[in-house]
Amino acid sequence: MHLLDISQRRFNRLVRRLFGKAKRYTEADQTRRFLSKVSKLKSKQIAAIALRPNPLRRKSSERGGSPSPVALILVVVSLTSAIGHRFYNEPKLDVNTIAPQTIRAPESASVVDSETTETKRQDARTGAVPVLMVNQAVNQEIYQTLQRLFARGDELRQQAGPLPYIETSVLSTGTQRHLRQAQEWEWRTILASVNSGAQATAPRTRPDSPSQPPGVQASSSQQLAIIELQAYQQNASAEDFSALREVIVRARQRYTTTAETLESSLKDEQSKFYDPSFFNLTDAEWSSTKSGVRQALERILLQGIPPGLPDSLLENAVRAQLDLTIPAASKPLASKVLMNAVRPNLVQDPEQTRLLAERAAEAVEPEVVEIRRGEVITQAGEPISQSDFVLLDHFGLSRRGVNWLGVIGFGGLVAGGITIFLLVERRFHPGLRRRDHFLVVLLTLTTPLLIALGVPATNLPALGLLIGSFYGSALGITVVGLLSIALPIGMEISWVTLTACAIGSILGAGMAGRLRSREELALLGGGVGLAQGIIYLLLSLILTTPANPVWYAVLTQSVLQGLMGLAWSIVALGISPYLEQLFDLVTPIRLAELSNPNRPLLKKLASDAPGTFQHTLFVATLAEAAARALGCNVELVRAGTLYHDIGKMHDALGFIENQMGGPNKHDLIDDPWKSATIIKKHVSEGVVMARKYRLPKAIQAFIPEHQGSMLITYFYYQAQQRAKENPDLVINEADFRYDGPIPQSRETGIVMLADSCEAALRSLKDASRDEALAMVNRILRARWQDNQMVDCGLTRADMTKIAEIFVRVWQQFNHQRIPYPKAAFGTQPAPAAK
C-alpha cells in the first residue's frame, strides 16, 4: 500500500498524532532523534500506522455505518418472503384470465363459493332496512316547542282582550268581532247611523258624509252592527248605551295596539305564525284549538315521524289529524303551529338493526356451484368467471404454484424500497447502527406476520409511532408509506382498511419525532385512532353501493377501526421502554426522562457530591448553548453532561468542589501518584455506575470521553518537582493521563471543552469580556494541541464559535447587580432616644 492511498483526513490525523508525541520530549536532542526516526519510516510503515485500529475508538457497530451487501440481501429475501405471500401459491388460471383450453369436470361435485356467499351476506347486512324506535327526548322537545308557541298565543290574546268582551245577549259575537277590528271611519259611520236613528237596512251613506268615504257601501256586518246597536239603544238607558260605547272603544284600542305589536315582531320565531285574524277566534275556539292540536300531536308522535320524510307528506298527515278535532276557523293557524313544532322523532335502534341485519345475512343461502362429470367448466379462449375458478380450484386444475416472475419482481420492489429508506436515512438520520437496522427490519416483519395470522387490523399505527419516536419522523413516514404500498401487492388485504390505517399511521409517525414525553405520545395515539376511524367512515360511505346503507354497520366498523388504532398506539407506548433498553436507544423521550433531576442516580449525586452536582449544572448550561448553536443533539448533550461526573461519588472528598472549605484530602495523602489514581478512578467508577443503572451507551460515552487522554497537570507537575529532588524517581507520563478514549462525537467534544472551561470561568469575578475570551481560547487551544479533538469532528471554526458562546453564557451568569444601600439590610443606626 502506498502512502498516497491513505485518505487525506487519516493522514492529517497521523501527522498530528506523531508530532504531538514529538512535543512531549522536553530535550531538544530527544526531539531531533524522534523526528529522524519519523523521517526514516517507509511509506508502507506509515500507511500501516495510519490504518492500524485505534483501541480508544468505539467499535464500528456502535458508531454506525452502511449495512453490508450480505445483510442487504438477507433483508430483501426476508421481506420478500414475508410480504409476498400471494406469489408462493398463486393460481395461473385465476378469475378473469383466459382459459388456454377447454376444461371438463373429472367428476360430479357441488362446491360452495365462499367468496360470493360472503359478499352477498355482507350486502345483505349493509342493505337491510334499519329498525326505528321513538326517541322520547325528541318528543319532549316537541311538546316544549308547542307549549312555547301556545304560551306566546295566550300572551297576545291577553294583550288584545277577551272575545267576546260584551255579553252576547247585548251584541252578537260577530258584531263584537267586527266592531273591534273595524277601521276608524267605519266605526264613526256606525255611530252616526245609530245616533240618527237609521233603519236596519241602513241606506247608502250620503256622499257628503264626513265619516265614510264617498262611494263606499255599508257591508252586511256593518248593517248588522247598526241594527243591534240601535236595538240596544232603544231598550236601554242613555247611561247604559254610553257605557257600552266606552267598552267598545277600549276593546278597539287594545286590539289596535296588539295588532301593531304583532306586526313589529314578525321576526320572532314564536310570533311569526300569528296574524291579526288570530284574534277573531273566541276564547272557547282558542281553547278548543289548543286541545285539538295536542291530541293531533300525540297521535302523530305515537305513529312516529321517520327522518327524511318529505314536507308535503308530513303536511298532509297534519291536516288529516286536525280535521278530526279542530274548528274550521282555526285549522290554518293550527296547521302552521303544528308543522313548526313537529320534526322526525324516529331514530335507529342499534340492537334491533343489528339483529335484523344478522337475520338478513343468515337468510342468504350459500352460493353453491354444481357440475356433473364430463360437463365443460370453461371453454378455451374465454375468461374464467368466479364460479369457474371455484370449480377449477376444487378439482386442483387452477395450476397453483410459485410465481417466480412475480417473486423476482416483488423482490425488486422491496429492494427499491430499501434503497429509498437508506437514502432517507442518509439525508435525515445518518449513522444508524446495525442493531438499529435490525430493529427496523424486525418491526417491519411483524406487520405481514400479523396479517397472515388473521389479525383484523394492521399494526401500522404502532410501527409509525415506534420508528418515528426512535429515529425521527422522516424514517417513520418512509417505513409506513413503503409498507402501505407493498402490502396490498403481496398479500390479501382490504384496501379500505389499509388506507385508513396508513393515513392514521403516517400522521402518528410525522408527529412522533417531535414529542418529548410519554404523555404526549399517549395523546398522539388517541389522535391516530380518531383519524383512522374517521377515514374508514368516509371511505365506507363513499364506496357503499346500497341506496340506504345501515348506519349501524358502517359506524360500528368505523368505531372498531378507531379502537384498533388506539389499541396499537397503546401497545407501542407500552413496549417502547423495553425496546429502548434492549436495543440501547437514545430517543428524545428517553433522554428527557434521564435528564429528570429526580432520577435515583442524579438524586444520589446531588446528596453525596453536592459540589460536583453544581459543577455539572453549570457545565450542562455551557454545553447546551454550544450544542444548540452548532446544530448538535441538545437532549443528548444535556443528559450526557448530567451523568459525566457520577464517578466522583466513589470518593467525593477527593475533589475540591466537594470539600466545602475543609482540609484537602490530597494534602494528607501527599503522594501525586496516588492522587492521580484517585482522580482517574472517577472515570472507571463512573462507567461501572452507568452500567449498573443501565444508562444508554451513548450516555456512558460521555464519562470517559469528556476527559479523553488529558494530562492531570497539577499532580504531574508535583511529581516532576519530586523527581528533581529525588533522581531515583521515574516519572511515566501515562500514569498521569486519563485512559481515554478521546471524544468520538461532537457532543462529547463539546462537553470536554465545557468541563475544561467551567472552573476557570467560575474563578473570574471582575474580568472583562475580552479577558474571559482570551482565557477560554487558551484552554481550547491547549485541548486542540493536545490532540483531544482529533476524532470528534469539531473544526477550528467550531472552536472559535464555542469560545464565544461560553463567554456569553458566563456573562449571563455574572451580570452586574445594583448595589443595595446598607439601610436595605437593616444596618442603619437606631434613632436616638428622646
Side-chain angles (χ1 to χ4, degrees), residues 125-138:
R125 291 189 187 95
T126 309
V129 178
V131 178
L132 302 179
M133 66 177 182
V134 176
N135 189 335
Q136 297 299 332
V138 175

Side-chain angles (χ1 to χ4, degrees), residues 51-93:
L51 298 177
R52 186 184 304 161
N54 184 357
L56 300 182
R57 303 184 69 182
R58 295 198 298 270
K59 297 179 181 179
S60 60
S61 61
E62 296 178 1
R63 294 175 60 86
S66 300
S68 64
V70 176
L72 289 176
I73 293 175
L74 290 177
V75 172
V76 171
V77 172
S78 301
L79 292 177
T80 303
S81 303
I83 303 177
H85 184 267
R86 67 165 61 183
F87 298 107
Y88 300 118
N89 193 29
E90 184 176 4
K92 294 183 179 179
L93 301 181

Side-chain angles (χ1 to χ4, degrees), residues 439 442-443 446 450 459 461-463 465-467 469-470 518 521 567-583 585 587:
L439 176 59
L442 184 64
L443 291 175
T446 59
L450 292 174
N459 66 334
L463 204 65
L465 291 178
L466 289 174
I467 297 180
S469 61
F470 290 168
R518 308 283 178 190
L521 193 62
W568 280 119
S569 302
I570 294 174
V571 170
L573 184 64
I575 67 175
S576 60
Y578 301 100
L579 293 178
E580 290 171 357
Q581 289 283 350
L582 183 61
F583 290 90
L585 301 174
T587 64

Side-chain angles (χ1 to χ4, degrees), residues 561-616:
Q561 287 295 323
L563 291 177
M564 288 178 182
L566 177 61
W568 280 119
S569 302
I570 294 174
V571 170
L573 184 64
I575 67 175
S576 60
Y578 301 100
L579 293 178
E580 290 171 357
Q581 289 283 350
L582 183 61
F583 290 90
D584 192 34
L585 301 174
V586 283
T587 64
I589 293 177
R590 190 181 184 193
L591 290 174
E593 293 174 348
L594 290 173
S595 300
N596 188 339
N598 290 319
R599 300 284 296 189
L601 194 53
L602 294 181
K603 290 179 68 175
K604 182 177 177 61
L605 177 64
S607 62
D608 294 355
T612 299
F613 185 72
Q614 294 301 321
H615 153 79
T616 297

Side-chain angles (χ1 to χ4, degrees), residues 346-457:
L346 294 179
V347 295
Q348 190 178 118
D349 187 342
E351 183 62 24
Q352 293 299 323
T353 300
R354 184 186 65 80
L355 294 176
L356 180 63
E358 291 301 328
R359 285 196 294 267
E362 292 174 359
V364 175
E365 296 292 334
E367 185 73 13
V368 179
V369 183
E370 297 181 350
I371 196 170
R372 296 182 179 180
R373 182 177 182 179
E375 290 184 352
V376 175
I377 299 177
T378 180
Q379 294 285 351
E382 294 184 354
I384 298 175
S385 63
Q386 174 64 26
S387 58
D388 296 339
F389 173 74
V390 170
L391 293 173
L392 291 174
D393 211 35
H394 174 73
F395 292 124
L397 302 176
S398 59
R399 303 180 184 178
R400 288 185 177 272
V402 179
N403 183 359
W404 291 109
L405 183 61
V407 171
I408 294 173
F410 188 73
L413 178 65
V414 172
I418 294 175
T419 303
I420 294 174
F421 173 83
L422 294 177
L423 292 175
V424 175
E425 175 196 338
R426 179 177 299 179
R427 172 66 178 83
F428 294 98
H429 202 294
L432 289 186
R433 304 162 300 175
R434 291 178 183 175
R435 67 180 67 187
D436 298 322
H437 290 133
F438 177 73
L439 176 59
V440 172
V441 174
L442 184 64
L443 291 175
T444 304
L445 288 175
T446 59
T447 302
L449 176 62
L450 292 174
I451 295 176
L453 294 176
V455 177

